[in-house]
Amino acid sequence: MSVEVRPFTGESRGNVAVSMALATVPILLAVGFAVDTKRQIDTKAFVQQAVDAAAIAGVRSWREASGDMAIVNEAVEAAFEANIRTTYSDVICEDPTTFDTRNADGSLSRIEVSARCKVPTMLAGALNDIESMEVNVAAAAEPMVRRLEIAMVLDLSNSMESEPLEALKAGANLLIDKVIEDPDSSDVRVGLVPYGTGVDAGTFGRAAVGQRGEQSRFCVAERTGPEAFTDAEPDPADPATLISPAHANHTDLCPSAGRVVPLTSDRDALKTEIDALEVDGVTAGQVGIAWGWYLLSGRWESFWPEESIPRPYSTRNNLKVLVIMTDGVFNHQLNAQPEAPDQAQALCREIKDRGVLVFAIAFDAAPNAEALMRECASGGSFYFDAANTDELTAAYAQIASRFNGVKIAR
């Protein structure tokens, strides 16, 4: 009797099925882990955005609430809740935890916010009995600028008559409202330098040319000689440091209404001066730029009234800002002086080298005036090309927004 031996083909199919089943388990585990890991990573990004927003809201509410942490906590939780909705609907988060850190003088240094959330697992949970994964996120936010000194150089040339002047006033007043939050604090101060054919520096002008006495109007022009493009403080004992008067009678080249106002936190006084501005004269913008620098210069510590003395250049957490505005070409200078635009360029270079931030606004200006303002500005984002009155006012609003903000410092 013979026996037929057959290959085990049917049994091999069973072996393959078993092998595939065994291989599927780690594949599913890997897929589940990948899916859940992506959810965890995505959730962390969403929660981070929510915590960042909450920290920023905390700083802003701290200012408004004068440090009342109950109000700050409410603002933080509201901002967190509003932003956390962008993540997966099944994510569960605890209320954020908030702390404030203060400087020695009691002012706010930073707001710190942390949050913990749980992300339910999907495939990995079914296979590994892991029901959720944790996401822990923290952020810190602080005021963008703690101390601020701003000098606004304002064009009062005849071409600014009517609507342009009103737009300039609106923009300058808006900037003041935005940056001076507490008029009783000296942390933020603003000064004004209106200019036309010259600058009316009043009694300060008389002192700057080396004369004594009180005078309500005194028109000044450029400084000449070796100190022409420096911020040396005027010293009667050193004639090279003295400023030049604009004319023998010192008044006929001044703007008819508009004078130098040294640094102050008196918001109402500044706005009163701005509202009274009138156009008059041509465009000696280089004189305005120079006096804007003098308002900010840490070297003029014995020239200005005590409440208006600029802080030293080396002062920590103090920002000096010059805002220049013109609607035309600088077209007036003293005899034997370099052309007005050349003087302006030299001044702007020295001012920036001192660490002063320069914002420049060209309002419906000619190409060469625009080019000068671009060169004077501290960079592309510091230059504004305002084509109409609405854009002129908006430029001041955008500048103000740079200093009325909060930065993330995690």
Side-chain angles (χ1 to χ4, degrees), residues 157-180:
S157 59
N158 288 325
S159 54
M160 286 292 294
E161 189 173 10
S162 190
E163 289 185 11
L165 179 61
E166 294 308 311
L168 171 61
K169 292 179 180 180
N173 281 329
L174 185 151
L175 185 146
I176 289 168
D177 282 334
K178 291 288 187 181
V179 299
I180 301 180

Side-chain angles (χ1 to χ4, degrees), residues 9 37 46 64 144 180 189 193 213 228-229 232 248 329 375:
T9 54
T37 299
F46 291 135
E64 297 169 359
M144 190 173 291
I180 301 180
R189 296 177 296 168
V193 184
F229 306 116
V329 179
E375 184 170 342

Side-chain angles (χ1 to χ4, degrees), residues 195-265:
Y195 70 91
T197 311
V199 168
D200 182 358
T203 299
F204 305 119
R206 179 176 282 279
V209 303
Q211 300 178 12
R212 294 182 178 180
E214 297 290 328
Q215 188 157 341
S216 59
R217 300 190 70 209
F218 196 99
C219 197
V220 291
E222 299 99 324
R223 175 157 46 188
T224 61
E227 302 289 354
F229 306 116
T230 77
D231 61 340
E233 184 177 23
D235 180 359
D238 184 359
T241 65
L242 298 179
I243 311 298
S244 302
H247 198 271
N249 66 14
H250 313 310
T251 61
D252 63 348
L253 296 183
C254 286
S256 57
R259 60 179 180 174
V260 168
V261 178
L263 296 175
T264 178
S265 60

Side-chain angles (χ1 to χ4, degrees), residues 42-43 45-47 49-50 80-89:
D42 289 347
T43 299
F46 291 135
V47 176
Q49 293 174 6
F80 181 78
E81 177 64 27
N83 284 274
I84 200 63
R85 295 171 187 164
T86 59
T87 190
Y88 300 109
S89 60

Side-chain angles (χ1 to χ4, degrees), residues 45-328:
F46 291 135
V47 176
Q48 185 69 69
Q49 293 174 6
V51 170
D52 288 350
I56 290 172
V59 171
R60 289 178 173 157
S61 66
W62 197 98
R63 293 169 172 167
E64 297 169 359
S66 300
D68 186 333
M69 285 305 293
I71 297 176
V72 172
N73 283 328
E74 290 179 3
V76 167
E77 291 175 9
F80 181 78
E81 177 64 27
N83 284 274
I84 200 63
R85 295 171 187 164
T86 59
T87 190
Y88 300 109
S89 60
D90 56 353
V91 172
I92 300 172
C93 297
E94 299 177 2
D95 289 339
T97 302
T98 307
F99 298 96
D100 69 329
T101 304
R102 308 189 186 195
N103 299 308
D105 61 1
S107 60
L108 179 65
S109 173
R110 61 170 49 191
I111 291 289
E112 300 178 29
V113 178
S114 60
R116 183 170 65 177
C117 300
K118 290 186 177 181
V119 187
T121 57
M122 299 178 71
L123 294 175
L127 295 169
N128 291 341
D129 293 328
I130 300 174
E131 295 182 356
S132 64
M133 296 180 289
E134 278 198 1
V135 169
N136 295 290
V137 173
E142 58 189 32
M144 190 173 291
V145 177
R146 295 192 181 95
R147 292 177 178 171
L148 183 63
E149 297 169 338
I150 300 178
M152 287 196 283
V153 179
L154 308 171
D155 187 350
L156 296 186
S157 59
N158 288 325
S159 54
M160 286 292 294
E161 189 173 10
S162 190
E163 289 185 11
L165 179 61
E166 294 308 311
L168 171 61
K169 292 179 180 180
N173 281 329
L174 185 151
L175 185 146
I176 289 168
D177 282 334
K178 291 288 187 181
V179 299
I180 301 180
E181 297 180 340
D182 182 4
D184 295 326
S185 170
S186 62
D187 283 351
V188 178
R189 296 177 296 168
V190 178
L192 307 176
V193 184
Y195 70 91
T197 311
V199 168
D200 182 358
T203 299
F204 305 119
R206 179 176 282 279
V209 303
Q211 300 178 12
R212 294 182 178 180
E214 297 290 328
Q215 188 157 341
S216 59
R217 300 190 70 209
F218 196 99
C219 197
V220 291
E222 299 99 324
R223 175 157 46 188
T224 61
E227 302 289 354
F229 306 116
T230 77
D231 61 340
E233 184 177 23
D235 180 359
D238 184 359
T241 65
L242 298 179
I243 311 298
S244 302
H247 198 271
N249 66 14
H250 313 310
T251 61
D252 63 348
L253 296 183
C254 286
S256 57
R259 60 179 180 174
V260 168
V261 178
L263 296 175
T264 178
S265 60
D266 190 333
R267 188 168 52 202
D268 292 338
L270 287 165
K271 295 173 71 172
T272 297
E273 291 285 344
I274 290 170
D275 291 340
L277 296 177
E278 297 178 9
V279 301
D280 188 14
V282 293
T283 314
Q286 77 281 8
V287 184
I289 290 172
W291 276 84
W293 188 13
Y294 304 155
L295 290 186
L296 300 171
S297 172
R299 300 177 67 188
W300 284 51
E301 68 271 13
S302 61
F303 183 86
W304 300 112
E306 182 178 358
E307 66 275 11
S308 300
I309 296 174
R311 299 183 183 96
Y313 285 115
S314 59
T315 303
R316 293 189 61 188
N317 298 322
N318 181 65
L319 196 59
K320 295 178 182 288
V321 177
L322 182 64
V323 182
I324 307 167
M325 177 268 156
T326 185
D327 77 331

Side-chain angles (χ1 to χ4, degrees), residues 360-365 370 374 383-388 391 395:
I361 305 170
F363 168 56
D364 194 21
E370 292 179 354
R374 282 196 190 92
Y383 167 72
F384 296 85
D385 182 5
N388 53 54
E391 291 183 5

